[in-house]
Amino acid sequence: MAYAVESLSKILKQVLNPYNQQYLTLDNKPQIQSLLEKVNILKDFLQNHLMTGREILESRIRDAAQSGGDVIEAHMSYGILSSRSNSSKLDLKDMLEEFDSINEEIGMIMKEFDPPPVLVFSSSPDPDPSSRNIFVGMEEDFAFLRDRITGQHSQLQEIAITGMGGMGKTTLARKLYNDSSVTNHFDTRLWITISRNFTLRDSLLSLLESLRKLTSRMHRENDDELVKHIYKAIRGTRYLIVVDDIWQIEEWQILRRLFPDDGNGSRILLTTRLSYVARHSTVAHNMPFFNWFESLELLCLKVFARKHCPPEFKDIGKRICKLCNGHPLTIIVIAGILLTSKTRHFWKFVAQNIISLSRKSIMEVLNMGYNHLPHYLKPCFLYMRAFREDCEIRASEIIRLWVAEGFIIPIANKTLEETAEDYIRALIHRNLLMVWEQDTNGKVKTLSIHGLLRNLSKKLAAKENFLRVNHRSAPNIPKDTIIMCRSETNDDIELMITLARTSLYFGPASNVLNPVIFGLRLLRILDVLKIELLQFPMEILQLVNLRYLAFTCRSALPPSISRFWNLQTLIIGRLPSFRAFALPSQVWEMTQLRHIKSKKACIWYCPGNRKNVIQEDLQTLTNIQLCGVTNEVLEKFPNLKKLGVFCNVTLYDVFDLASLHKLETLKCSSDWSMVTRDFLSYLTFPPSLNKLTLSLCKIPLRFMATLGSLPNLELLKLQKSDFVGIDLEPMEQESEPMEPEWVTREGEFPRLVSLLMEDLNLVHWTSCGTNFPRLKRLVIRECCSLEKIPCDMGYIPTIELIEVDESSPSVLASAMQIEKEHKDLGNELPQIVVYRL
């Protein structure tokens, strides 16, 4: 509700913005100004007061705001596309009267309360999402299955975990997958999730991606060729493969043929809701329901971060747990509700609500988790229906989509993206979303939604006319294209399509864009990144209301892309044969841009004529060629947080990246064969830098001291790069070539948490105990020249993981030596993971 009012307010402000008059014909400015005033009055009330028990009024506000946005944006679309002024004037009289009536009713509500109930927004209810990932009630299951997985049987064994949805099958499987005794036992570990819409090709590509073998060329190969790649990669290795959420025995029979039995103790771990699928496995382990004691432990861990329940809550907590019938997912969703008010009175209220449910079904109890959400979180939860079942979703993608949809309510001194991160944490805090992967500082990278909760979001989204997703009844829409729209009717498919706001393509790589898309004039989000186009389809320019555009093509973008006057996110993929492209200068005049991302290619900066346009909202810019970029250009992006730069020429001027005071993430790459040694020496870095990636670079050894002095650097990736000597001039031919040596000095890298070294020419690495005082994760891959890991790296107090993959035998030996020394001293071991060549 509140998001719809906020969205309409934004639309009206943009219509009134003088800069946008180059796109729009403003024929009724007084009416628009009057409507904006009425909408803002309503918006201020909704942002500061509760609306409990006012469902009819909430629906009326939502419908008025959404219909108003549809009417105005449709009118703007016509005006922008028309070569002449609008022939019909937009009459907002009825809309103004409706908002007057709503505001009058709001006034009556405010008189009922003295003072009216205030809404308190908690911007960060749980700053550490990982603290919510609690493993309880499965200790015996875990110990039994771990012994079977790491047992001495040499034959390939299939181990199945069965149980109804929400019993913790995937949680248990992931705990086993990441356990140190398991990771150290296997040479190769793979994880794939099978959705209900199973296709063999999806699974093959997922396996190759998990093996880190997937290339763009493989997307164009047939299934038999993909099978050969997988077989070659795992043949002869001791592997563990987790196949999560099998729905049909036929699916498993197809996949099973891919995995060889080399008699070396490999294992396959399945999870499934269907017992008859598990019967074909060597071991079938069924997940039991929790008893009341285990249920109470889980509830208290989620609410109080300890197993023991405070005495004043024990009786009512036990009662709630019994009502949840030992179902883990139900327990943790109810715990998310109880977190909002730790009072006995509220716990009794929750228990009474569970009792009052007619059938006390799992879905009805889960629905309570949604009903108790603040209004600003409800559309974000309902939107999860758009994603495929059991898929891993990037948090950054969800955030960009939520912002483009208009769900995020502005908070003072925060960007919309920062507020959206708070929303994600709040949904995790309430156990409605699950963390899948975090970065080294605990920030959520990927997440997922449980299948039962996704089904709940699907039903509620349809019930509340929030969004509907096309099915087979939708005309000419392929099954892999998700069209989301709002409609008050269940039967009028054509009306649904007319009102479509979002189109997402989840299918396999293709080169055909469905022409139905071009008629969706109210579309805000179009993601067709996996459709590879040779030419930019000019018909897309008719979708002038786009806020989010992701596509792949070979040709350049036309200057008329500036028609997307409201565009916030531009993601451009490139075909493998097309390395670089120019963005037309008109792009830099689009004042709403927040993210420009180029995948697998570089963009040239083409300056426009408007020298004074500052991209205040631009936060992401990747990957831009340094050729043509100047310090004056950088000043136009004062709020950049993420930047990728590419260099393929000799540099003569220093690039003052230190002027980007909010820059947190930087990736530097180059055409390695062409760039001179001094490329990195011409860059200055801001102290705000948190993550740095150097890829395909020549790294002067003395430059590492510069990196070591960065005060806030937490993640450093050195990939496919060569260390070069201190001298920047070429060495004389008669002198012996020096073996690259990296010597870290005292006090360097004070806050580094994660270090990745991949495919480097480094031979010697010297480090002492005072370096890397906060390092948690060290990963070394394909460093075939490196002699060893400095022994002191294993004694950093914070170290948690040392991973070595496809590197020299001496590096593997030094990792094993670190492990042996810890065992001999009786220390708590860091996780040592070694993948042999």
Side-chain angles (χ1 to χ4, degrees):
M1 173 187 59
Y3 82 88
V5 176
E6 175 67 33
S7 178
L8 178 57
S9 176
K10 288 179 182 178
I11 292 170
L12 294 170
K13 287 177 182 177
Q14 289 164 355
V15 171
L16 292 169
N17 188 336
Y19 180 80
N20 293 326
Q21 298 315 303
Q22 59 183 308
Y23 310 115
L24 307 172
T25 302
L26 194 60
D27 50 12
N28 52 354
K29 185 175 180 179
Q31 275 194 328
I32 294 175
Q33 288 176 327
S34 177
L35 181 59
L36 178 59
E37 291 172 3
K38 299 177 190 304
V39 169
N40 283 341
I41 291 172
L42 180 57
K43 184 182 75 170
D44 291 341
F45 175 82
L46 294 175
Q47 289 181 0
N48 294 288
H49 298 90
L50 293 169
M51 287 284 290
T52 51
R54 307 283 177 174
E55 290 80 7
I56 296 176
L57 180 58
E58 287 183 16
S59 298
R60 185 181 173 192
I61 293 171
R62 182 190 63 229
D63 293 344
Q66 290 179 332
S67 298
D70 290 345
V71 169
I72 293 171
E73 288 196 328
H75 189 77
M76 289 192 302
S77 174
Y78 177 82
I80 293 171
L81 294 174
S82 177
S83 58
R84 53 188 173 78
S85 299
N86 292 340
S87 57
S88 60
K89 185 177 180 179
L90 179 61
D91 189 355
L92 301 178
K93 180 182 177 182
D94 292 342
M95 201 180 302
L96 287 166
E97 290 177 352
E98 175 66 2
F99 276 96
D100 276 336
S101 176
I102 290 172
N103 283 330
E104 286 178 10
E105 188 169 347
I106 292 291
M108 297 298 295
I109 292 174
M110 294 182 71
K111 291 179 181 179
E112 295 178 18
F113 299 96
D114 187 20
V118 176
L119 173 65
V120 178
F121 177 80
S122 175
S123 63
S124 184
D126 185 10
D128 181 12
S130 64
S131 67
R132 316 314 307 170
N133 295 337
I134 295 169
F135 186 74
V136 68
M138 306 180 193
E139 292 83 358
E140 292 183 5
D141 308 84
F142 172 77
F144 169 75
L145 291 171
R146 181 179 59 185
D147 290 344
R148 296 306 301 256
I149 289 171
T150 59
Q152 299 303 311
H153 295 284
S154 59
Q155 292 81 16
L156 174 66
Q157 290 192 345
E158 302 162 22
I159 300 167
I161 304 174
T162 65
M164 68 177 294
M167 292 300 296
K169 300 183 297 297
T170 300
T171 299
L172 178 57
R174 185 156 289 279
K175 180 73 172 177
L176 290 162
Y177 184 78
N178 291 320
D179 183 73
S180 58
S181 63
V182 173
T183 58
N184 291 329
H185 186 77
F186 294 96
D187 303 317
T188 302
R189 292 178 306 131
L190 303 174
W191 181 293
I192 59 170
T193 299
I194 309 298
S195 68
R196 294 196 189 194
N197 300 318
F198 166 83
T199 67
L200 176 60
R201 186 168 188 82
D202 287 342
S203 298
L204 295 176
L205 293 172
S206 180
L207 280 167
L208 285 166
E209 185 173 16
S210 186
L211 281 162
R212 300 199 300 270
K213 301 291 185 182
L214 185 62
T215 65
S216 56
R217 178 177 57 83
M218 291 178 183
H219 281 285
R220 297 185 294 277
E221 294 180 342
N222 61 40
D223 290 355
D224 290 338
E225 291 171 318
L226 297 179
V227 168
K228 290 178 183 177
H229 290 306
I230 295 170
Y231 191 84
K232 182 180 178 181
I234 65 176
R235 179 72 178 176
T237 68
R238 180 191 291 168
Y239 60 79
L240 168 66
I241 298 176
V242 177
V243 185
D244 188 31
D245 207 15
I246 287 281
W247 281 88
Q248 299 292 336
I249 188 63
E250 293 80 11
E251 300 172 0
W252 173 231
Q253 289 172 341
I254 294 172
L255 284 175
R256 177 62 184 83
R257 303 182 195 128
L258 303 178
F259 310 129
D261 184 359
D262 295 319
N264 58 5
S266 293
R267 299 288 185 265
I268 299 171
L269 181 64
L270 313 175
T271 72
T272 180
R273 301 184 190 185
L274 308 174
S275 58
Y276 71 84
V277 173
R279 292 193 199 110
H280 298 266
S281 303
T282 312
V283 177
H285 180 78
N286 187 61
M287 296 293 292
F289 286 93
F290 282 20
N291 59 39
W292 76 264
F293 181 77
E294 292 168 332
S295 299
L296 188 59
E297 275 194 346
L298 177 59
L299 185 78
C300 292
L301 276 168
K302 287 289 185 179
V303 177
F304 301 109
R306 61 179 186 270
K307 287 186 178 181
H308 301 293
C309 193
E312 64 269 26
F313 292 104
K314 190 168 184 178
D315 60 331
I316 190 66
K318 180 178 177 181
R319 184 182 179 192
I320 289 172
C321 288
K322 287 183 176 180
L323 291 170
C324 292
N325 298 315
H327 187 255
L329 181 62
T330 303
I331 295 166
I332 65 173
V333 171
I334 294 299
I337 298 172
L338 298 175
L339 273 165
T340 61
S341 178
K342 298 176 186 177
T343 65
R344 184 174 172 83
H345 175 75
F346 183 71
W347 281 44
K348 283 185 176 180
F349 168 77
V350 171
Q352 191 60 43
N353 271 267
I354 299 175
I355 294 171
S356 66
L357 295 174
S358 57
R359 298 189 304 276
K360 293 189 285 293
S361 71
I362 288 174
M363 291 302 290
E364 287 176 315
V365 178
L366 294 180
N367 191 29
M368 286 180 61
Y370 173 78
N371 289 336
H372 282 80
L373 282 177
H375 63 74
Y376 52 84
L377 291 180
K378 287 185 176 181
C380 298
F381 174 75
L382 296 180
Y383 199 76
M384 301 308 295
R385 186 267 177 267
F387 297 95
R388 286 189 167 185
E389 185 175 357
D390 298 320
C391 69
E392 183 179 2
I393 313 162
R394 295 195 67 83
S396 57
E397 179 183 1
I398 291 177
I399 287 171
R400 288 192 295 266
L401 289 170
W402 283 353
V403 171
E405 293 282 6
F407 296 161
I408 310 303
I409 298 174
I411 300 294
N413 302 317
K414 284 195 172 189
T415 66
L416 295 177
E417 287 76 8
E418 289 169 342
T419 302
E421 289 179 11
D422 290 341
Y423 286 15
I424 286 178
R425 283 194 290 268
L427 289 170
I428 292 169
H429 184 70
R430 289 166 170 81
N431 304 308
L432 296 175
L433 294 180
M434 299 180 292
V435 177
W436 192 269
E437 182 183 0
Q438 295 173 271
D439 64 15
T440 52
N441 59 11
K443 189 174 180 180
V444 179
K445 288 181 65 176
T446 60
L447 48 86
S448 63
I449 181 170
H450 193 279
L452 291 179
L453 290 171
R454 181 182 177 275
N455 288 340
L456 176 66
S457 70
K458 176 181 177 180
K459 292 179 180 179
L460 292 173
K463 178 183 176 182
E464 298 188 11
N465 295 321
F466 174 77
L467 62 84
R468 299 183 186 276
V469 176
N470 61 288
H471 295 287
R472 292 179 182 177
S473 57
N476 304 318
I477 303 294
K479 65 178 182 179
D480 294 315
T481 299
I482 302 297
I483 301 290
M484 293 186 292
C485 45
R486 176 184 56 82
S487 175
E488 299 179 11
T489 63
N490 294 326
D491 304 322
D492 195 340
I493 301 300
E494 291 187 4
L495 175 60
M496 286 174 55
I497 298 303
T498 302
L499 296 174
R501 290 291 194 175
T502 301
S503 177
L504 307 173
Y505 179 75
F506 290 110
S510 171
N511 57 9
V512 178
L513 182 60
N514 194 291
V516 171
I517 299 297
F518 306 137
L520 309 181
R521 297 299 174 84
L522 294 181
L523 209 64
R524 290 180 178 177
I525 293 174
L526 176 60
D527 188 340
V528 288
L529 196 64
K530 294 177 70 174
I531 298 179
E532 301 176 346
L533 305 170
L534 294 179
Q535 295 291 328
F536 179 84
M538 300 300 288
E539 295 90 343
I540 285 182
L541 296 175
Q542 299 177 61
L543 309 179
V544 295
N545 288 309
L546 283 179
R547 299 179 184 178
Y548 182 110
L549 174 61
F551 68 99
T552 297
C553 79
R554 186 189 300 269
S555 66
L557 276 67
S560 50
I561 193 172
S562 61
R563 276 184 172 179
F564 299 141
W565 62 287
N566 210 10
L567 197 67
Q568 298 174 358
T569 295
L570 177 62
I571 301 176
I572 309 168
R574 291 284 120 176
L575 300 181
S577 59
F578 200 76
R579 177 67 180 171
F581 64 98
L583 284 180
S585 62
Q586 288 79 3
V587 167
W588 309 110
E589 300 176 10
M590 298 163 66
T591 58
Q592 302 297 318
L593 282 172
R594 308 180 74 87
H595 308 280
I596 300 177
K597 293 174 64 70
S598 169
K599 293 180 175 289
K600 300 180 182 179
C602 302
I603 57 178
W604 302 328
Y605 178 82
C606 296
N609 296 322
R610 296 176 63 90
K611 302 293 184 182
N612 60 339
V613 174
I614 305 295
Q615 297 286 342
E616 292 282 355
D617 293 328
L618 192 65
Q619 300 171 43
T620 303
L621 179 57
T622 63
N623 289 308
I624 189 166
Q625 284 200 14
L626 285 176
C627 179
V629 175
T630 63
N631 290 329
E632 183 182 3
V633 170
L634 293 176
E635 291 174 357
K636 294 183 178 182
F637 314 131
N639 294 312
L640 271 184
K641 289 189 173 182
K642 185 174 182 179
L643 174 65
V645 296
F646 176 85
C647 183
N648 65 345
V649 295
T650 301
L651 300 182
Y652 299 99
D653 297 314
V654 173
F655 285 86
D656 186 17
L657 302 182
S659 65
L660 302 174
H661 302 297
K662 297 185 180 181
L663 191 66
E664 297 175 355
T665 302
L666 174 65
K667 180 175 181 178
C668 301
S669 59
S670 70
D671 186 336
W672 191 89
S673 62
M674 298 177 62
V675 72
T676 58
R677 291 183 179 183
D678 56 356
F679 156 49
L680 295 173
S681 300
Y682 278 81
L683 303 180
T684 62
F685 300 111
S688 59
L689 201 62
N690 180 265
K691 299 177 183 179
L692 175 63
T693 300
L694 305 180
S695 178
L696 293 170
C697 293
K698 293 181 179 178
I699 307 173
L701 286 170
R702 67 181 182 184
F703 177 74
M704 296 305 294
T706 300
L707 300 187
S709 66
L710 293 173
N712 293 298
L713 189 64
E714 296 186 357
L715 184 147
L716 176 61
K717 295 182 180 181
L718 308 174
Q719 297 176 301
K720 300 180 181 180
S721 298
D722 274 3
F723 285 88
V724 295
I726 294 176
D727 255 338
L728 296 181
E729 297 299 326
M731 297 180 183
E732 296 182 7
Q733 292 183 358
E734 54 268 18
S735 63
E736 286 287 330
M738 295 178 61
E739 292 182 330
E741 179 179 10
W742 177 21
V743 180
T744 54
R745 295 174 174 80
E746 184 175 355
E748 290 185 343
F749 300 100
R751 299 190 63 174
L752 197 70
V753 175
S754 178
L755 173 61
L756 168 65
M757 303 165 62
E758 180 179 7
D759 194 6
L760 307 177
N761 71 334
L762 189 64
V763 177
H764 308 290
W765 180 19
T766 304
S767 179
C768 65
T770 60
N771 305 136
F772 310 106
R774 299 189 182 183
L775 193 70
K776 293 182 179 180
R777 178 184 177 93
L778 171 64
V779 179
I780 301 175
R781 296 177 184 154
E782 300 179 47
C783 291
C784 298
S785 301
L786 186 62
E787 286 189 341
K788 65 177 182 178
I789 303 171
C791 61
D792 284 343
M793 299 299 291
Y795 292 94
I796 297 172
T798 54
I799 195 73
E800 296 175 356
L801 170 69
I802 297 177
E803 178 182 320
V804 179
D805 187 4
E806 297 188 14
S807 294
S808 66
S810 59
V811 170
L812 272 63
S814 64
M816 301 310 294
Q817 180 63 28
I818 290 172
E819 183 177 42
K820 180 179 182 300
E821 290 176 1
H822 276 281
K823 285 183 178 179
D824 292 344
L825 293 172
N827 295 339
E828 184 176 346
L829 290 174
Q831 185 178 350
I832 310 291
V833 181
V834 174
Y835 299 97
R836 294 169 176 82
L837 284 167

